[in-house]
Amino acid sequence: MKLSDIVQRGWDAVVAGNLDSLVADYVDDMAFIMPGQSNVLQGKRAFRAALEGLGQILPPGFEVTGLRQIEGEGEVVSIVEWKSDKVHASQLAVLFKFRGDKIYEERWFIDTEQWKEAF
């Protein structure tokens, strides 16, 4: 299976609300990093717990309108097109780094000023 297929399976799991399926593709000591965070979220358990509040960390009306994967050696970048109640259209990127077929790091790249204004 291609790494980009693993990432796509994760996005599909988020849409379906199957968060346990999503975290199955991460190593136990994974790291989750978003812009503006002073602390990195460490570990699959902490990541899974944080996903319970996913609706609270996304802007009101958040919707993914397009998604594509770019695969490199041991990594995949997702280009996510999105909109919300206050943002007509935008993009963000997410870098997934792999050990074998498991994700060990997920790092989001967002226009933080626009993201703040979306709330």
Side-chain angles (χ1 to χ4, degrees), residues 34 57-59 62 82 87 92 108 110-119:
M34 285 199 62
I57 63 170
L58 296 174
F62 182 85
W82 64 276
V87 176
L92 60 89
W108 285 51
I110 304 169
D111 177 339
T112 54
E113 292 304 312
Q114 182 185 52
W115 190 258
K116 287 180 209 172
E117 290 182 20
F119 283 91

Coordinates of all heavy atoms in Angstrom, one line a residue, residues 34 57-59 62 82 87 92 108 110-119:
M34 N 0.8 21.7 15.6 CA 0.0 22.7 14.9 C 0.7 24.0 15.1 O 1.2 24.3 16.1 CB -1.4 22.7 15.3 CG -2.2 21.6 14.9 SD -4.0 21.8 14.9 CE -4.4 23.1 13.8
I57 N -12.0 22.7 18.0 CA -10.8 23.3 17.6 C -10.9 23.8 16.1 O -10.0 24.4 15.6 CB -9.5 22.5 17.8 CG1 -9.6 21.2 17.0 CG2 -9.4 22.2 19.3 CD1 -8.3 20.4 17.0
L58 N -12.0 23.4 15.4 CA -12.2 23.8 14.0 C -13.1 25.0 14.0 O -14.0 25.1 14.8 CB -12.7 22.7 13.2 CG -11.9 21.4 13.1 CD1 -12.6 20.3 12.4 CD2 -10.6 21.7 12.4
P59 N -12.9 25.9 13.0 CA -13.8 27.1 13.0 C -15.2 26.7 12.7 O -15.5 25.7 12.0 CB -13.2 27.9 11.8 CG -11.8 27.3 11.5 CD -11.8 25.9 12.0
F62 N -16.6 24.8 9.4 CA -15.4 24.2 8.7 C -15.8 23.1 7.8 O -16.6 22.2 8.2 CB -14.4 23.7 9.7 CG -13.1 23.2 9.1 CD1 -12.1 24.1 8.7 CD2 -13.0 21.9 8.9 CE1 -11.0 23.6 8.1 CE2 -11.8 21.4 8.3 CZ -10.8 22.2 7.9
W82 N -10.3 24.3 2.1 CA -11.3 24.4 3.1 C -12.0 25.7 3.0 O -11.5 26.6 2.4 CB -10.7 24.1 4.5 CG -9.7 25.1 4.9 CD1 -8.4 25.2 4.6 CD2 -10.0 26.3 5.8 NE1 -7.8 26.3 5.2 CE2 -8.8 27.0 5.9 CE3 -11.2 26.8 6.4 CZ2 -8.7 28.2 6.7 CZ3 -11.1 27.9 7.1 CH2 -9.8 28.6 7.3
V87 N -14.6 32.3 6.3 CA -13.6 32.2 5.2 C -14.2 31.5 4.0 O -14.6 30.3 4.1 CB -12.3 31.5 5.7 CG1 -11.3 31.3 4.6 CG2 -11.7 32.2 6.9
L92 N -4.6 24.7 3.4 CA -3.6 24.4 4.4 C -2.9 23.1 4.0 O -3.3 22.4 3.1 CB -4.2 24.2 5.8 CG -5.2 23.1 6.0 CD1 -4.6 21.8 6.4 CD2 -6.2 23.5 7.1
W108 N 0.9 20.5 10.9 CA 0.0 21.3 10.2 C 0.7 22.7 9.8 O 1.4 23.2 10.7 CB -1.3 21.6 10.9 CG -2.2 20.4 10.9 CD1 -1.9 19.1 11.3 CD2 -3.6 20.4 10.6 NE1 -3.0 18.3 11.2 CE2 -4.0 19.1 10.8 CE3 -4.4 21.4 10.2 CZ2 -5.3 18.7 10.5 CZ3 -5.8 21.0 9.9 CH2 -6.2 19.7 10.1
I110 N -0.6 26.3 8.5 CA -1.8 27.1 8.3 C -1.5 28.6 8.4 O -0.6 29.0 9.1 CB -2.8 26.8 9.4 CG1 -3.2 25.3 9.5 CG2 -4.1 27.6 9.3 CD1 -3.9 25.0 10.8
D111 N -2.2 29.4 7.6 CA -2.1 30.8 7.8 C -2.8 31.1 9.1 O -4.0 31.2 9.2 CB -2.8 31.5 6.6 CG -2.8 33.1 6.8 OD1 -2.7 33.6 7.9 OD2 -3.1 33.7 5.7
T112 N -2.0 31.3 10.2 CA -2.5 31.4 11.5 C -3.4 32.6 11.7 O -4.3 32.6 12.5 CB -1.4 31.4 12.6 OG1 -0.4 32.4 12.3 CG2 -0.7 30.0 12.6
E113 N -3.1 33.7 11.0 CA -3.9 34.9 11.2 C -5.3 34.7 10.6 O -6.3 35.0 11.2 CB -3.2 36.1 10.5 CG -2.0 36.6 11.2 CD -2.3 36.9 12.7 OE1 -3.2 37.7 13.0 OE2 -1.5 36.5 13.6
Q114 N -5.3 34.1 9.4 CA -6.6 33.8 8.8 C -7.4 32.7 9.6 O -8.6 32.9 9.8 CB -6.4 33.2 7.4 CG -7.7 32.9 6.7 CD -7.5 32.2 5.3 OE1 -6.8 31.2 5.3 NE2 -8.1 32.8 4.3
W115 N -6.7 31.8 10.2 CA -7.3 30.8 11.0 C -8.0 31.4 12.3 O -9.1 31.1 12.6 CB -6.3 29.7 11.5 CG -6.8 28.5 12.1 CD1 -6.8 28.2 13.5 CD2 -7.4 27.4 11.5 NE1 -7.4 27.0 13.7 CE2 -7.8 26.5 12.5 CE3 -7.7 27.0 10.2 CZ2 -8.4 25.2 12.3 CZ3 -8.4 25.8 9.9 CH2 -8.7 25.0 11.0
K116 N -7.3 32.3 12.9 CA -7.8 33.0 14.1 C -9.1 33.8 13.7 O -10.1 33.8 14.4 CB -6.8 34.0 14.7 CG -5.7 33.3 15.4 CD -4.7 34.4 15.9 CE -3.3 33.9 16.1 NZ -2.4 35.0 16.4
E117 N -9.0 34.4 12.5 CA -10.2 35.2 12.1 C -11.4 34.4 11.7 O -12.5 34.9 11.6 CB -9.8 36.1 10.9 CG -8.9 37.3 11.3 CD -8.5 38.2 10.2 OE1 -9.2 38.2 9.2 OE2 -7.5 38.9 10.4
A118 N -11.2 33.1 11.5 CA -12.2 32.2 11.1 C -13.2 31.9 12.2 O -14.2 31.3 12.0 CB -11.7 30.9 10.5
F119 N -12.7 32.2 13.5 CA -13.5 31.9 14.6 C -14.5 33.0 15.0 O -14.5 34.0 14.9 CB -12.7 31.6 15.8 CG -12.1 30.2 15.7 CD1 -10.9 30.0 15.1 CD2 -12.8 29.1 16.2 CE1 -10.3 28.7 15.0 CE2 -12.2 27.8 16.1 CZ -11.0 27.6 15.5

